Amino acid sequence: MAEPETAQEFTALYADNRGRVYAYAVARAGRSLADEVVAETFLVAWRRFAQMPRGAALPWLLGVARNVIRERYRDEERQRAIAAEMLAWVADAPDVADGVAERAAILTALAGLSENDREVLTLTAWDGLSPRAAARVVNCSAPTFLVRLHRARNRLTRAVAAAGEPAVAASRSTKPTITAPAGTKPVVTREPSR
């Protein structure tokens, strides 16, 4: 039986972190499985509450959630579910402004990345973790995580650019011309290629 103060501490931990763990689970396992992942994560947290690092509970919880997802839902099936979820987000997005189109392009590009790239990007961008805390979640050093983050950002940039390929092709059909009046900074303009 748990001591009352331990139960109160755990209840506070749950209240403070449940939403973030749920968001992490939705992004990686889909909405249909997120509740199960959260339940298992906090069951592990309850059982190992004494070993949980104080002051770094969220990275520890997300690391547990990551392991739960990896144990229960193997690569191929999970990849399809996540990609379908992200594409559903794109389909649900109304086309009312450039911001919406950009969001749709980014979500589509994100759905096409590997699970590891998506995880590295979303830990910092969506979950708001620092590189050091995110490195704890994926069980690597902070410098290694920063390299992975850099590479994932580059792959995302290329995927977004590929999604907007007609605009990229149009920009490639022009030759840069550099002009500068005397004593000023050069200006780069584009002229149609011949």
Side-chain angles (χ1 to χ4, degrees):
M1 187 83 189
E3 296 179 23
E5 67 249 8
T6 302
Q8 288 174 345
E9 287 177 34
F10 183 80
T11 302
L13 172 83
Y14 179 82
D16 291 344
N17 295 289
R18 187 226 178 257
R20 304 271 303 270
V21 173
Y22 180 80
Y24 179 88
V26 166
R28 281 148 191 89
R31 285 189 184 115
S32 62
L33 302 174
D35 286 327
E36 291 178 35
V37 172
V38 170
E40 284 191 46
T41 298
F42 281 99
L43 178 63
V44 170
W46 175 252
R47 289 178 179 159
R48 297 181 53 198
F49 191 64
Q51 293 93 25
M52 185 183 302
R54 300 298 181 233
L58 181 61
W60 188 88
L61 288 168
L62 294 181
V64 171
R66 179 179 190 249
N67 290 337
V68 167
I69 292 167
R70 284 182 179 240
E71 287 173 10
R72 296 195 56 191
Y73 318 104
R74 288 293 165 213
D75 292 338
E76 191 172 272
E77 190 61 34
R78 188 171 64 250
Q79 289 287 350
R80 280 194 291 254
I82 293 168
E85 182 76 27
M86 288 186 177
L87 292 174
W89 292 347
V90 171
D92 291 344
D95 191 14
V96 295
D98 288 338
V100 174
E102 183 180 342
R103 177 179 182 261
I106 290 172
L107 287 172
T108 301
L110 196 58
L113 295 178
S114 71
E115 176 187 356
N116 289 336
D117 283 348
R118 272 195 312 270
E119 182 174 37
V120 166
L121 291 166
T122 57
L123 280 171
T124 56
W126 289 357
D127 298 319
L129 295 181
S130 69
R132 177 169 281 165
R136 281 189 228 130
V137 173
V138 297
N139 197 25
C140 70
S141 68
T144 299
F145 181 84
L146 288 170
V147 169
R148 290 179 185 175
L149 179 61
H150 175 74
R151 290 177 180 165
R153 284 178 177 159
N154 286 342
R155 285 190 274 274
L156 179 63
T157 301
R158 286 193 302 271
V160 169
E165 195 61 40
V168 172
S171 70
R172 288 184 187 148
S173 67
T174 59
K175 275 194 294 188
T177 305
I178 301 175
T179 58
T184 63
K185 207 172 172 184
V187 177
V188 178
T189 58
R190 296 208 173 255
E191 296 175 358
S193 58
R194 296 184 178 109

